[in-house]
Amino acid sequence: MQYAPAVLADMLRVPAQVKFGDDLSMQFHFAKWSVIGALMGLAGCVSLAGDDPGTWYQTMQGRLPSGDRLYICHGFGCAYTDRVDFTRADRRRLARFLRAGRGSAKAERDALSKAVVWQEKRVGRAIGSSNDIGGLDLKNAGVRGQMDCIDEATNTTSLLLYLEDNSLLRHHTVGRPVARGFFIDGRYPHASAVITEKKSGLQWAIDSWRRDNAEAPDVMLLDRWFRVRSRDLDRLDMESG
């Protein structure tokens, strides 16, 4: 399968002038094809945001949360899955976040952002992902504790389902993660967790892939998420910083 260098550059987030195929390391090949292989399963996911989230786990060979136990994906494409058991203290901490957001859908999304940051700190200590690098850092494909968008979308969805199962969501329901890109439009395939606002029916992406571990996720209308490029968001971050 051949891709134009410019498309591959966007896919792999490396300079367009790099020549592919000459001196690529085995790790680079593993990274490229493991990511492509995992994301091949995302074709058609664009229309599935409202579907049963369980179908995502079947496709990605992940495991749904069960009670207080979450199964955390890492290593790119859910190459590894480690269980993390939330304690009563963990549940109380999450409940405090969500109580602060009960006043409105916007406030609940802000609370969910904080909950994602908390989970990444909590999980980081448990499975060794505290140094997870944001974006697609190919040299870390297959490395325990490093996460691509498949891992991030799965783990965020697991947290959201945990909150929903514990009746901690008031304004949103949890949907199936979705994907964008898939090379057709010249963009690297990318996935995100999704929630739906109960009152308006609007869908929102909660995407923690672009930034390092335990940094606030991108929370935006799903329609915008489908259109935007990560480099545009990077530029806005620099301008606002």
Side-chain angles (χ1 to χ4, degrees), residues 9-231:
D10 190 47
M11 166 191 160
L12 302 174
R13 299 192 68 178
V14 297
Q17 65 269 23
V18 171
K19 293 182 179 180
F20 297 95
D22 294 331
D23 298 316
L24 300 180
S25 67
M26 288 301 294
Q27 195 168 35
F28 183 92
H29 280 293
F30 173 86
K32 182 174 70 172
W33 294 113
S34 63
V35 171
I36 291 173
L39 286 162
M40 286 292 286
L42 298 179
C45 290
V46 168
S47 62
L48 297 177
D51 285 9
D52 176 10
T55 61
W56 169 269
Y57 292 84
Q58 294 170 10
T59 302
M60 299 302 155
Q61 299 182 333
R63 297 185 67 178
L64 282 160
S66 177
D68 290 323
R69 178 166 294 170
L70 276 65
Y71 297 91
I72 303 300
C73 287
H74 55 113
F76 284 37
C78 281
Y80 311 109
T81 304
D82 287 350
R83 76 185 199 193
V84 174
D85 294 320
F86 282 178
T87 65
R88 291 182 181 178
D90 292 334
R91 190 163 61 248
R92 288 195 296 269
R93 180 70 177 271
L94 288 167
R96 285 198 294 271
F97 287 135
L98 273 298
R99 278 198 300 271
R102 292 182 72 81
S104 69
K106 170 63 166 61
E108 186 163 270
R109 290 191 295 275
D110 290 343
L112 288 174
S113 177
K114 294 176 182 177
V116 170
V117 171
W118 174 87
Q119 176 183 244
E120 292 194 355
K121 290 179 181 177
R122 170 73 171 81
V123 166
R125 296 191 297 270
I127 71 167
S129 58
S130 297
N131 294 322
D132 176 39
I133 296 172
L136 184 58
D137 183 24
L138 286 173
K139 70 178 184 295
N140 284 318
V143 176
R144 287 185 173 274
Q146 294 296 315
M147 300 177 185
D148 68 354
C149 65
I150 300 296
D151 299 322
E152 297 281 10
T154 304
N155 298 337
T156 298
T157 300
S158 292
L159 172 64
L160 295 169
L161 289 171
Y162 175 83
L163 296 173
E164 189 172 60
D165 289 345
N166 282 277
S167 302
L168 295 176
L169 296 185
R170 183 174 187 178
H171 299 282
H172 299 87
T173 59
V174 184
R176 188 192 199 280
V178 296
R180 71 181 187 217
F182 207 68
F183 306 118
I184 295 172
D185 60 357
R187 291 193 297 171
Y188 165 72
H190 180 46
S192 175
V194 175
I195 55 174
T196 301
E197 194 174 327
K198 291 180 180 179
K199 186 174 181 179
S200 68
L202 291 172
Q203 293 179 314
W204 296 80
I206 301 184
D207 184 0
S208 57
W209 168 80
R210 192 171 61 92
R211 298 190 177 102
D212 292 348
N213 186 74
E215 294 186 11
D218 293 318
V219 180
M220 67 183 73
L221 282 168
L222 192 59
D223 285 346
R224 184 188 177 215
W225 183 85
F226 278 127
R227 297 190 306 269
V228 75
R229 293 174 183 265
S230 293
R231 64 172 177 258

